[in-house]
Amino acid sequence: MNRISRRELLKSIGTCSGALAVGVVLSACGGSEAPASNQQSASPATEVRLEIGSKGDELYYDKDLLEVPANSKVTLTFKNNAQPNSGMLHNWVLVRPGTADAVANDGITAGEANGYLKPNDERVIAHTKMIGGGESDTITFDAPPPGTYDYLCTFPGHGVLMRGKFVVK
Ligand code: CO
């Protein structure tokens, strides 16, 4: 597996922070054009920050429900809270309704080289990298249409317990 060094991880976090800072500046500029107090449906996407982790060394996420408003631009940070070098790998994969089991099974077939995800899987809406204990990964994606979606870890055998609901309201 193409394991990520801590330095590269920190570098990528730094890049994400920079992008976020730019996003804050941009939204601040946008906010100056129109009062934010009276939001219309035509207003720019709401920026939402989410954080989720594994529950320590257990095969559970520390949240089994995430909710965002419709039209959100979501920045999600996933942290693997297992012990470093424990060999406990996790990811966070958001999938279309009713496809979690199939995505997990195809992930096993895709294997370690693909991070246990079928490449370009159209059932996958967004996903982090497969990361080790103590590592984190931040991703940004547009919320799918309103509805209830599933998220899971696609490491072989984890998806039965590491699973939750992602609600777009
Ligand atoms: Co896992």
Side-chain angles (χ1 to χ4, degrees), residues 65-79:
L65 176 67
L66 296 171
E67 287 186 342
V68 302
N71 301 313
S72 297
K73 189 163 198 69
V74 181
T75 298
L76 178 141
T77 297
F78 170 59
K79 174 134 192 260

Side-chain angles (χ1 to χ4, degrees), residues 10 82 152 156:
L10 289 171
L152 73 157

Side-chain angles (χ1 to χ4, degrees), residues 18-34 44-45 47 73:
L20 274 179
V22 170
V24 168
V25 171
L26 287 176
S27 64
C29 291
S32 66
E33 289 171 16
E47 295 192 17
K73 189 163 198 69

